[in-house]
Amino acid sequence: MKASPLTVASIVEAAADLADATGFDSVTLSAVARRLGVRSPSLYSHVKDRDALLEGVTILALTELASRVSVAVAGRAERSALEALADAHRDYARESPGRWEALQRPAGEEAARSAGARDVVALTAAVLRGYPLPESEHVHAVRFIGSTINGYLRIERNGGFAHSRPSAAVSWHRIIDALDAALRAWPAPSEGERP
Amino acid sequence: MKASPLTVASIVEAAADLADATGFDSVTLSAVARRLGVRSPSLYSHVKDRDALLEGVTILALTELASRVSVAVAGRAERSALEALADAHRDYARESPGRWEALQRPAGEEAARSAGARDVVALTAAVLRGYPLPESEHVHAVRFIGSTINGYLRIERNGGFAHSRPSAAVSWHRIIDALDAALRAWPAPSEGERP
DNA sequence: GGGAAAGCCTAATGCTATTAGGTATATGGT
DNA sequence: ACCATATACCTAATAGCATTAGGCTTTCCC
């Protein structure tokens, strides 16, 4: 009586759910196998090793995140789009903390080249359309936005804002404001800063 | 013949060195014990458990980072100070990757309250002195700067910039420029964003 | 039906954290 | 000086993990 046929996708999904439920670090092959009602060596027919499984979760998370961001920024521009982008990240981190954690680990080749990764970058770049930045500056601005959003969520999640006032929620809006201001006042590259 | 007397400090330092040499994840009690020429259960007389050891490394890293930042920003103001702050973080991440990794994990009570943590925040706030921000906005700006620097270094370290041009090094300067611009053009808080 | 391949299993190895309890060495009181 | 004690290390043992090797059972193709 096989409830489910045990595929790569079902294993990765179980791992992702487990990560959300009990933390990314608790995603062990044993635990995933238990959750699937199977013995852990059985997973090796479908997944190379633990690292490959975690990379699978990363790719899944990238896909899901790209999808959410895509919906969020559709039909918006400038500050509204920026805020939607940031909030999509934050919502995802809140609702799927384990999956989001998977985005924070060194990206393997496959994850780096995945459609999700490409889409997240492309969607971030799309937000820049409304801002007065030369095309050549888009790479840097994308990295800037990505760094800030990611860094903020990580510090918030790590409890770095928990011990000071005001609450992290207030800063979040101020930081989107600041990002918006930075994009509007984007500095011209000085000598030697041009690619 | 005891080469070293095995104290909490020596254990934490060995763990930190090991993290720098072979990666933060490879810091196991066994490996640290091996490095100290001792059996792993012996460590339990000095350290509660693995988690406490890792927290010790975090606190050590915070202390070291605060010290470097302190030296770097001394005698500087505005953009120069901001750049020195950012570069101090980046240099530390480069030179002591394992210790820096320790900063990226959920902060326990002790780490959160440590002098190093307080100092890093205070030094970041000090950089704001040259900028035209009201005192009430400093918290947000500190979080903004911290998020961006941390997020950038993390993505760079995870290889997130490795697959696109131009190199991460170029963006680094553009991002410090952008931070500087954001602080100069710091937006006034709208309704409901005041603490 | 025969055979091969899938897809799961058990068994085994070696690593890890952690606890329990032993032993020797230094220390402190008298 | 001597004994008691505490310190600081040790060995032994348990249990969980990743991973490999090899076996059994079902399914499906010819």
Side-chain angles (χ1 to χ4, degrees):
Chain A
M1 185 177 59
K2 301 186 174 66
S4 57
L6 202 59
T7 66
V8 179
S10 69
I11 295 173
V12 168
E13 198 186 326
D17 291 347
L18 190 60
D20 287 338
T22 64
F24 189 73
D25 288 344
S26 76
V27 177
T28 70
L29 286 179
S30 315
V32 172
R34 252 189 311 270
R35 170 174 278 251
L36 290 167
V38 136
R39 305 307 184 112
S40 42
S42 303
L43 301 180
Y44 285 87
S45 313
H46 306 276
V47 175
K48 184 173 166 292
D49 57 11
R50 180 169 188 257
D51 207 62
L53 172 61
L54 299 186
E55 173 125 355
V57 177
T58 301
I59 293 171
L60 172 66
L62 280 168
T63 308
E64 292 178 353
L65 179 62
S67 164
R68 277 163 174 256
V69 169
S70 166
V71 171
V73 302
R76 298 179 189 274
E78 303 190 37
R79 216 216 101 112
S80 170
L82 181 65
E83 184 167 13
L85 172 84
D87 284 344
H89 277 262
R90 196 184 199 209
D91 291 346
Y92 190 66
R94 277 192 196 294
E95 293 167 30
S96 306
R99 286 163 152 90
W100 187 81
E101 273 289 321
L103 298 173
Q104 310 300 308
R105 27 161 272 139
E109 276 298 309
E110 200 183 339
R113 299 188 190 290
S114 73
R118 222 188 309 276
D119 290 352
V120 171
V121 172
L123 287 163
T124 309
V127 168
L128 296 175
R129 272 188 203 130
Y131 291 97
L133 275 78
E135 197 64 45
S136 65
E137 289 293 301
H138 277 202
V139 200
H140 307 305
V142 167
R143 290 171 175 177
F144 178 55
I145 296 172
S147 298
T148 304
I149 292 178
N150 224 280
Y152 187 90
L153 293 179
R154 164 153 279 270
I155 297 177
E156 182 184 29
R157 193 143 289 278
N158 282 356
F161 300 148
H163 300 278
S164 53
R165 309 257 42 195
S167 77
V170 179
S171 285
W172 180 244
H173 291 106
R174 300 302 294 130
I175 278 168
I176 296 173
D177 289 341
L179 273 180
D180 179 64
L183 294 176
R184 287 184 198 291
W186 194 262
S190 64
E191 284 308 314
E193 283 185 348
R194 296 197 191 84
Chain B
M1 184 178 57
K2 302 186 173 62
S4 56
L6 203 60
T7 65
V8 178
S10 69
I11 294 173
V12 169
E13 197 185 326
D17 291 347
L18 190 60
D20 286 339
T22 64
F24 189 74
D25 288 343
S26 76
V27 177
T28 70
L29 286 177
S30 316
V32 171
R34 255 190 308 272
R35 171 173 275 250
L36 290 167
V38 134
R39 304 308 184 110
S40 42
S42 303
L43 301 180
Y44 284 87
S45 312
H46 306 275
V47 174
K48 183 172 167 293
D49 57 10
R50 181 169 187 256
D51 207 60
L53 172 61
L54 298 185
E55 173 127 354
V57 176
T58 300
I59 293 170
L60 172 65
L62 280 168
T63 308
E64 292 179 353
L65 179 62
S67 164
R68 276 163 174 256
V69 169
S70 164
V71 171
V73 303
R76 298 179 189 274
E78 304 190 36
R79 216 216 103 110
S80 171
L82 181 65
E83 184 167 13
L85 172 84
D87 284 345
H89 277 262
R90 195 184 200 208
D91 290 347
Y92 190 66
R94 276 191 197 296
E95 293 166 30
S96 305
R99 286 164 152 88
W100 186 81
E101 273 289 323
L103 299 172
Q104 310 302 307
R105 27 160 272 139
E109 275 299 308
E110 201 183 340
R113 300 189 189 290
S114 73
R118 224 188 308 274
D119 289 353
V120 171
V121 171
L123 287 162
T124 308
V127 168
L128 296 175
R129 270 185 205 134
Y131 291 97
L133 275 77
E135 197 67 41
S136 64
E137 289 293 301
H138 277 202
V139 200
H140 307 305
V142 166
R143 290 172 176 178
F144 178 55
I145 296 172
S147 297
T148 305
I149 292 178
N150 224 280
Y152 187 90
L153 293 177
R154 161 153 282 267
I155 297 177
E156 182 184 30
R157 192 143 290 278
N158 282 358
F161 300 149
H163 300 278
S164 55
R165 308 258 40 195
S167 76
V170 180
S171 285
W172 179 246
H173 290 107
R174 299 303 292 130
I175 278 168
I176 295 173
D177 290 340
L179 274 180
D180 179 63
L183 294 176
R184 285 184 201 292
W186 194 261
S190 63
E191 283 310 313
E193 284 184 350
R194 295 197 192 82

Coordinates of all heavy atoms in Angstrom, one line a residue, chain A residues 46-117:
Chain A
H46 N 16.8 8.4 -5.4 CA 16.2 9.6 -6.0 C 17.0 10.8 -5.9 O 16.9 11.7 -6.7 CB 14.8 9.8 -5.5 CG 13.9 8.6 -5.5 ND1 13.1 8.3 -6.7 CD2 13.6 7.7 -4.6 CE1 12.5 7.2 -6.4 NE2 12.7 6.8 -5.2
V47 N 17.8 10.8 -4.8 CA 18.6 12.0 -4.5 C 20.1 11.6 -4.3 O 20.3 10.6 -3.6 CB 18.1 12.7 -3.2 CG1 18.9 13.8 -2.8 CG2 16.6 13.1 -3.4
K48 N 21.0 12.3 -4.8 CA 22.4 11.9 -4.7 C 22.9 11.9 -3.3 O 23.4 10.9 -2.8 CB 23.3 12.9 -5.5 CG 24.8 12.5 -5.5 CD 25.5 13.5 -6.5 CE 27.0 13.3 -6.3 NZ 27.5 13.8 -4.9
D49 N 22.7 12.9 -2.6 CA 23.1 12.9 -1.1 C 22.3 14.1 -0.5 O 21.6 14.8 -1.1 CB 24.6 13.0 -1.0 CG 25.2 14.2 -1.6 OD1 24.4 15.1 -2.1 OD2 26.4 14.3 -1.7
R50 N 22.6 14.3 0.8 CA 21.9 15.3 1.5 C 22.1 16.7 0.9 O 21.2 17.5 0.8 CB 22.5 15.4 3.0 CG 21.8 16.4 3.8 CD 22.1 16.2 5.3 NE 21.3 17.1 6.1 CZ 21.8 18.2 6.6 NH1 23.0 18.6 6.5 NH2 21.0 19.0 7.4
D51 N 23.3 17.0 0.5 CA 23.6 18.3 -0.1 C 22.7 18.5 -1.4 O 22.2 19.6 -1.6 CB 25.0 18.4 -0.5 CG 25.5 19.8 -0.5 OD1 25.4 20.5 0.6 OD2 25.9 20.4 -1.5
A52 N 22.6 17.5 -2.2 CA 21.7 17.6 -3.4 C 20.3 17.9 -3.0 O 19.6 18.7 -3.6 CB 21.8 16.4 -4.2
L53 N 19.8 17.2 -1.9 CA 18.5 17.5 -1.4 C 18.3 18.9 -1.0 O 17.3 19.6 -1.4 CB 18.2 16.5 -0.3 CG 16.8 16.8 0.4 CD1 15.7 16.6 -0.5 CD2 16.7 15.9 1.7
L54 N 19.2 19.4 -0.3 CA 19.1 20.8 0.2 C 19.2 21.8 -1.0 O 18.4 22.8 -1.0 CB 20.2 21.1 1.2 CG 20.2 20.3 2.5 CD1 21.3 20.8 3.4 CD2 18.9 20.3 3.1
E55 N 20.0 21.5 -2.0 CA 20.0 22.3 -3.2 C 18.6 22.3 -3.9 O 18.2 23.3 -4.4 CB 21.1 21.8 -4.1 CG 21.1 22.5 -5.5 CD 22.4 23.2 -5.8 OE1 23.3 23.2 -5.0 OE2 22.5 23.7 -6.9
G56 N 18.0 21.1 -3.8 CA 16.7 21.0 -4.4 C 15.7 21.9 -3.7 O 14.9 22.6 -4.3
V57 N 15.8 22.0 -2.4 CA 14.9 22.9 -1.6 C 15.2 24.3 -2.0 O 14.3 25.1 -2.2 CB 15.1 22.7 -0.1 CG1 14.3 23.7 0.7 CG2 14.7 21.2 0.3
T58 N 16.5 24.6 -2.2 CA 16.9 26.0 -2.6 C 16.2 26.4 -3.9 O 15.6 27.4 -4.1 CB 18.4 26.1 -2.7 OG1 19.0 25.8 -1.5 CG2 18.8 27.5 -3.2
I59 N 16.3 25.4 -4.9 CA 15.7 25.7 -6.2 C 14.2 25.8 -6.1 O 13.6 26.7 -6.7 CB 16.1 24.6 -7.2 CG1 17.6 24.6 -7.4 CG2 15.4 24.7 -8.5 CD1 18.2 23.5 -8.2
L60 N 13.6 25.0 -5.3 CA 12.1 25.1 -5.1 C 11.8 26.5 -4.5 O 10.9 27.1 -5.0 CB 11.7 24.0 -4.2 CG 10.2 24.1 -3.7 CD1 9.3 23.9 -4.8 CD2 9.9 23.1 -2.6
A61 N 12.6 26.9 -3.5 CA 12.3 28.2 -2.9 C 12.5 29.3 -3.9 O 11.7 30.3 -3.9 CB 13.2 28.4 -1.7
L62 N 13.5 29.2 -4.7 CA 13.7 30.3 -5.7 C 12.5 30.4 -6.7 O 12.1 31.4 -7.0 CB 15.0 30.0 -6.5 CG 16.3 30.4 -5.8 CD1 17.5 29.8 -6.6 CD2 16.4 31.9 -5.8
T63 N 12.0 29.2 -7.1 CA 10.9 29.2 -8.0 C 9.7 29.8 -7.3 O 9.0 30.7 -7.9 CB 10.6 27.7 -8.3 OG1 11.7 27.1 -8.8 CG2 9.5 27.6 -9.4
E64 N 9.4 29.4 -6.1 CA 8.2 29.9 -5.4 C 8.3 31.4 -5.2 O 7.4 32.2 -5.3 CB 8.0 29.2 -4.1 CG 7.6 27.7 -4.2 CD 7.5 27.0 -2.9 OE1 7.8 27.6 -1.8 OE2 7.0 25.9 -2.9
L65 N 9.6 31.8 -4.8 CA 9.8 33.3 -4.5 C 9.6 34.1 -5.8 O 8.9 35.1 -5.8 CB 11.2 33.5 -3.9 CG 11.6 34.9 -3.6 CD1 10.6 35.5 -2.6 CD2 13.0 35.0 -3.2
A66 N 10.1 33.6 -6.9 CA 10.0 34.3 -8.1 C 8.5 34.4 -8.5 O 8.1 35.5 -8.9 CB 10.7 33.5 -9.2
S67 N 7.8 33.4 -8.3 CA 6.4 33.4 -8.6 C 5.6 34.5 -7.7 O 4.9 35.3 -8.3 CB 5.8 32.0 -8.3 OG 4.4 32.1 -8.3
R68 N 5.9 34.5 -6.5 CA 5.3 35.5 -5.6 C 5.7 36.9 -6.0 O 4.8 37.8 -6.0 CB 5.7 35.3 -4.2 CG 4.9 34.2 -3.5 CD 5.6 33.8 -2.2 NE 4.8 32.9 -1.4 CZ 4.1 33.2 -0.3 NH1 4.2 34.5 0.1 NH2 3.5 32.3 0.4
V69 N 7.0 37.1 -6.2 CA 7.4 38.5 -6.6 C 6.8 38.9 -7.9 O 6.3 40.0 -8.0 CB 9.0 38.5 -6.7 CG1 9.4 39.8 -7.3 CG2 9.6 38.3 -5.3
S70 N 6.7 38.0 -8.8 CA 6.1 38.3 -10.1 C 4.7 38.8 -9.9 O 4.3 39.8 -10.5 CB 6.1 37.0 -10.9 OG 5.3 37.1 -12.0
V71 N 3.9 38.1 -9.1 CA 2.5 38.5 -8.9 C 2.5 39.9 -8.2 O 1.7 40.8 -8.5 CB 1.7 37.5 -8.1 CG1 0.4 38.0 -7.7 CG2 1.6 36.2 -8.9
A72 N 3.4 40.0 -7.2 CA 3.3 41.2 -6.4 C 3.7 42.5 -7.2 O 3.0 43.5 -7.0 CB 4.3 41.1 -5.2
V73 N 4.7 42.4 -8.1 CA 5.1 43.7 -8.7 C 4.3 43.9 -10.0 O 4.4 45.0 -10.6 CB 6.6 43.7 -9.1 CG1 7.4 43.4 -7.8 CG2 6.9 42.6 -10.1
A74 N 3.5 43.0 -10.5 CA 2.8 43.2 -11.7 C 1.9 44.4 -11.6 O 1.1 44.6 -10.6 CB 1.9 41.9 -12.0
G75 N 1.9 45.3 -12.6 CA 1.1 46.4 -12.6 C 1.5 47.5 -11.7 O 0.7 48.5 -11.5
R76 N 2.7 47.4 -11.1 CA 3.1 48.5 -10.2 C 4.4 49.1 -10.8 O 5.1 48.5 -11.6 CB 3.4 48.0 -8.8 CG 2.2 47.4 -8.1 CD 2.7 46.9 -6.8 NE 1.6 46.1 -6.1 CZ 0.6 46.7 -5.4 NH1 0.6 48.0 -5.3 NH2 -0.3 45.9 -4.9
A77 N 4.7 50.3 -10.3 CA 6.0 50.9 -10.7 C 6.5 51.8 -9.6 O 5.9 52.0 -8.6 CB 5.7 51.9 -11.9
E78 N 7.8 52.0 -9.7 CA 8.5 52.9 -8.7 C 8.3 52.4 -7.3 O 8.4 51.2 -7.0 CB 8.1 54.3 -8.9 CG 8.4 54.8 -10.3 CD 8.2 56.3 -10.5 OE1 8.6 57.0 -9.6 OE2 7.7 56.7 -11.6
R79 N 8.0 53.3 -6.4 CA 8.0 53.0 -5.0 C 7.0 51.9 -4.7 O 7.3 51.0 -3.9 CB 7.6 54.2 -4.2 CG 8.3 54.2 -2.8 CD 7.4 54.8 -1.7 NE 7.0 53.7 -1.0 CZ 7.3 53.4 0.3 NH1 8.1 54.2 0.9 NH2 6.8 52.4 0.9
S80 N 5.9 51.9 -5.4 CA 4.9 50.9 -5.2 C 5.4 49.5 -5.6 O 5.2 48.5 -4.9 CB 3.7 51.2 -6.0 OG 2.8 50.1 -6.0
A81 N 6.2 49.5 -6.7 CA 6.7 48.2 -7.1 C 7.8 47.7 -6.2 O 8.0 46.6 -5.8 CB 7.3 48.3 -8.5
L82 N 8.6 48.7 -5.8 CA 9.7 48.4 -4.8 C 9.2 47.8 -3.5 O 9.7 46.8 -3.0 CB 10.5 49.7 -4.5 CG 11.7 49.5 -3.6 CD1 12.8 48.7 -4.2 CD2 12.3 50.9 -3.3
E83 N 8.2 48.5 -3.0 CA 7.6 48.0 -1.8 C 7.0 46.6 -2.0 O 7.1 45.8 -1.1 CB 6.5 49.0 -1.3 CG 5.9 48.6 0.0 CD 5.1 49.8 0.6 OE1 4.8 50.8 -0.2 OE2 4.7 49.7 1.8
A84 N 6.3 46.4 -3.1 CA 5.7 45.1 -3.3 C 6.8 44.0 -3.4 O 6.6 42.9 -2.9 CB 4.9 45.1 -4.6
L85 N 7.9 44.4 -4.1 CA 9.0 43.4 -4.2 C 9.5 43.0 -2.8 O 9.6 41.9 -2.4 CB 10.1 44.0 -5.0 CG 11.4 43.2 -5.0 CD1 11.4 42.2 -6.1 CD2 12.6 44.2 -5.3
A86 N 9.8 44.1 -2.0 CA 10.3 43.9 -0.7 C 9.3 43.1 0.2 O 9.7 42.1 0.9 CB 10.7 45.2 0.0
D87 N 8.1 43.5 0.1 CA 7.1 42.8 1.0 C 6.9 41.3 0.5 O 6.6 40.4 1.4 CB 5.7 43.5 0.9 CG 5.8 44.8 1.8 OD1 6.7 44.9 2.6 OD2 4.9 45.6 1.6
A88 N 7.0 41.1 -0.8 CA 6.9 39.7 -1.2 C 8.0 38.8 -0.6 O 7.8 37.7 -0.1 CB 7.0 39.6 -2.7
H89 N 9.2 39.4 -0.6 CA 10.3 38.7 0.1 C 10.0 38.5 1.5 O 10.2 37.4 2.1 CB 11.6 39.5 0.0 CG 12.4 39.3 -1.3 ND1 13.4 38.5 -1.5 CD2 12.2 39.9 -2.5 CE1 13.9 38.5 -2.7 NE2 13.2 39.4 -3.4
R90 N 9.6 39.5 2.2 CA 9.3 39.4 3.6 C 8.2 38.4 3.9 O 8.3 37.6 4.9 CB 9.0 40.8 4.2 CG 9.1 40.8 5.7 CD 8.7 42.2 6.2 NE 9.2 42.4 7.5 CZ 8.6 43.1 8.4 NH1 7.4 43.7 8.2 NH2 9.1 43.3 9.6
D91 N 7.2 38.5 3.2 CA 6.1 37.6 3.4 C 6.5 36.1 3.2 O 6.2 35.2 4.0 CB 4.9 37.9 2.4 CG 4.2 39.2 2.8 OD1 4.5 39.7 3.9 OD2 3.4 39.7 1.9
Y92 N 7.3 35.9 2.2 CA 7.8 34.6 1.9 C 8.7 34.1 3.1 O 8.5 33.0 3.5 CB 8.6 34.5 0.6 CG 8.9 33.1 0.2 CD1 7.9 32.3 -0.2 CD2 10.2 32.6 0.1 CE1 8.1 30.9 -0.6 CE2 10.5 31.3 -0.2 CZ 9.4 30.5 -0.6 OH 9.7 29.2 -1.0
A93 N 9.5 35.0 3.6 CA 10.4 34.6 4.7 C 9.6 34.3 5.9 O 9.9 33.4 6.7 CB 11.4 35.7 5.0
R94 N 8.5 35.0 6.1 CA 7.6 34.8 7.3 C 6.8 33.5 7.1 O 6.8 32.7 8.1 CB 6.6 35.9 7.4 CG 7.0 37.1 8.0 CD 5.8 38.0 8.3 NE 6.2 39.4 8.6 CZ 6.9 39.7 9.7 NH1 7.3 38.8 10.6 NH2 7.2 41.0 9.9
E95 N 6.2 33.3 6.0 CA 5.3 32.2 5.8 C 6.1 30.8 5.6 O 5.6 29.8 6.0 CB 4.4 32.4 4.6 CG 3.4 33.6 4.8 CD 2.8 34.0 3.5 OE1 2.6 33.1 2.7 OE2 2.4 35.2 3.4
S96 N 7.2 30.9 5.0 CA 8.0 29.7 4.7 C 9.4 29.9 5.2 O 10.4 30.0 4.4 CB 8.0 29.4 3.2 OG 6.7 29.4 2.7
P97 N 9.6 30.0 6.5 CA 10.9 30.3 7.0 C 12.0 29.3 6.6 O 13.1 29.7 6.4 CB 10.7 30.3 8.6 CG 9.4 29.6 8.8 CD 8.6 29.8 7.6
G98 N 11.6 28.0 6.6 CA 12.6 27.0 6.2 C 13.0 27.1 4.8 O 14.2 27.0 4.4
R99 N 12.0 27.3 3.9 CA 12.3 27.5 2.5 C 13.2 28.7 2.3 O 14.2 28.7 1.5 CB 11.1 27.6 1.7 CG 10.3 26.3 1.5 CD 8.9 26.6 1.1 NE 8.2 25.6 0.2 CZ 7.5 24.6 0.7 NH1 7.4 24.4 2.0 NH2 7.0 23.7 -0.1
W100 N 12.9 29.8 3.0 CA 13.6 31.0 2.9 C 15.1 30.8 3.4 O 16.0 31.3 2.8 CB 13.0 32.1 3.7 CG 13.6 33.4 3.4 CD1 13.4 34.3 2.4 CD2 14.6 34.1 4.3 NE1 14.2 35.4 2.5 CE2 15.0 35.3 3.6 CE3 15.2 33.7 5.5 CZ2 15.9 36.1 4.2 CZ3 16.2 34.6 6.0 CH2 16.5 35.8 5.4
E101 N 15.2 30.0 4.4 CA 16.6 29.7 4.9 C 17.4 29.0 3.8 O 18.6 29.2 3.7 CB 16.5 28.8 6.1 CG 16.4 29.5 7.5 CD 17.6 30.2 7.9 OE1 18.7 29.6 7.6 OE2 17.6 31.3 8.4
A102 N 16.7 28.2 3.1 CA 17.4 27.5 2.0 C 18.0 28.5 1.0 O 19.0 28.1 0.3 CB 16.4 26.5 1.3
L103 N 17.5 29.7 0.9 CA 18.0 30.6 0.0 C 19.3 31.2 0.5 O 20.0 31.9 -0.2 CB 17.0 31.8 -0.2 CG 15.7 31.4 -0.9 CD1 14.7 32.5 -0.8 CD2 15.9 30.9 -2.3
Q104 N 19.6 31.0 1.8 CA 20.7 31.7 2.4 C 22.0 30.9 2.4 O 23.0 31.2 3.0 CB 20.4 32.1 3.8 CG 19.1 32.8 4.0 CD 19.1 34.1 3.2 OE1 19.9 34.9 3.4 NE2 18.1 34.3 2.4
R105 N 21.9 29.7 1.7 CA 23.1 28.9 1.7 C 23.9 29.0 0.4 O 23.3 29.4 -0.6 CB 22.8 27.4 2.0 CG 21.5 27.0 1.7 CD 21.5 25.5 1.5 NE 21.8 25.0 0.2 CZ 22.6 24.0 -0.1 NH1 23.1 23.3 0.9 NH2 22.9 23.7 -1.3
P106 N 25.1 28.8 0.4 CA 25.9 28.9 -0.8 C 25.2 28.2 -2.0 O 24.8 27.0 -1.9 CB 27.2 28.1 -0.4 CG 27.4 28.3 1.0 CD 25.9 28.3 1.6
A107 N 25.1 29.0 -3.0 CA 24.3 28.4 -4.2 C 25.2 27.5 -5.0 O 26.3 27.9 -5.4 CB 23.8 29.6 -5.0
G108 N 24.7 26.3 -5.3 CA 25.4 25.4 -6.1 C 25.2 25.9 -7.6 O 24.4 26.8 -7.9
E109 N 25.9 25.2 -8.5 CA 25.8 25.5 -9.9 C 24.3 25.5 -10.4 O 23.9 26.4 -11.0 CB 26.6 24.4 -10.7 CG 28.0 24.7 -10.9 CD 28.3 26.0 -11.6 OE1 27.7 26.2 -12.7 OE2 29.1 26.9 -11.0
E110 N 23.6 24.4 -10.0 CA 22.3 24.2 -10.5 C 21.4 25.3 -10.0 O 20.6 25.9 -10.8 CB 21.8 22.9 -10.0 CG 20.6 22.3 -10.9 CD 20.1 21.0 -10.4 OE1 20.9 20.3 -9.7 OE2 19.0 20.7 -10.7
A111 N 21.5 25.7 -8.7 CA 20.6 26.7 -8.2 C 20.9 28.0 -8.8 O 20.0 28.8 -9.1 CB 20.8 26.8 -6.6
A112 N 22.2 28.3 -9.0 CA 22.6 29.6 -9.6 C 22.1 29.8 -11.0 O 21.7 30.9 -11.4 CB 24.1 29.7 -9.6
R113 N 22.0 28.7 -11.7 CA 21.5 28.8 -13.1 C 20.0 28.5 -13.2 O 19.5 28.5 -14.4 CB 22.2 27.7 -14.0 CG 23.7 27.9 -14.0 CD 24.4 26.9 -15.0 NE 25.8 26.9 -14.9 CZ 26.6 27.9 -15.2 NH1 26.1 29.0 -15.7 NH2 27.9 27.8 -15.1
S114 N 19.3 28.3 -12.1 CA 17.9 27.9 -12.2 C 17.1 29.1 -12.7 O 17.4 30.3 -12.7 CB 17.4 27.5 -10.8 OG 17.3 28.6 -10.0
A115 N 15.9 28.7 -13.3 CA 15.0 29.7 -13.8 C 14.5 30.7 -12.7 O 14.4 31.9 -12.9 CB 13.8 29.0 -14.4
G116 N 14.3 30.1 -11.5 CA 13.9 30.9 -10.4 C 14.9 32.0 -10.0 O 14.5 33.2 -9.9
A117 N 16.2 31.7 -10.0 CA 17.2 32.7 -9.7 C 17.2 33.7 -10.8 O 17.2 34.9 -10.5 CB 18.6 32.0 -9.6

